[in-house]
Amino acid sequence: LPELDAVRRDPLWLASAVFSTDTLVSAGLGGRAAQLYADLLPYAGTDAVVGPGIAWLGPVDHSLGRLAACAGDVAAARRHLRGAMERTGVMGRCPAYVRSELALADLIG
């Protein structure tokens, strides 16, 4: 992974950051997860999309929750994952809702 500070902030940055979450969490890179968490935090409560409505990636809070868990902040992880579930809950048990629900279940064991 390139240094996160070196990644250009262009219109695809948010989507790239959301996709990077899976890599950092899967690799257990807590320090980098904490750095990306800080970068994504201003986007809490919003959704990530690719281009002008090309693809909806879901709530940024889902990524924030997974990053917080990887970095060891369980309270923040719970808060973000519940926020993602609340945001997607209006659509029923859609895949994005279930994804956050499963991440929360993994977190609380």
Side-chain angles (χ1 to χ4, degrees):
L1 292 173
E3 290 300 320
L4 296 175
D5 290 338
V7 176
R8 188 173 49 144
R9 302 286 174 109
D10 63 16
L12 293 176
W13 178 85
L14 184 59
S16 298
V18 167
F19 287 133
S20 295
T21 296
D22 289 331
T23 302
L24 295 175
V25 171
S26 295
L29 299 174
R32 287 200 175 189
Q35 181 183 358
L36 185 55
Y37 175 88
D39 290 342
L40 278 177
L41 192 56
Y43 300 94
T46 68
D47 293 328
V49 296
V50 175
I54 294 170
W56 176 71
L57 304 178
V60 174
D61 278 302
H62 175 80
S63 294
L64 286 166
R66 295 193 66 225
L67 291 165
C70 184
D73 189 343
V74 176
R78 281 188 187 133
R79 185 175 64 252
H80 289 297
L81 291 169
R82 286 181 178 141
M85 290 169 62
E86 187 175 306
R87 190 165 180 79
T88 56
V90 297
M91 294 183 275
R93 292 182 56 84
C94 70
Y97 179 91
V98 173
R99 186 176 58 159
S100 295
E101 185 178 44
L102 290 171
L104 182 60
D106 284 343
L107 181 67
I108 59 178

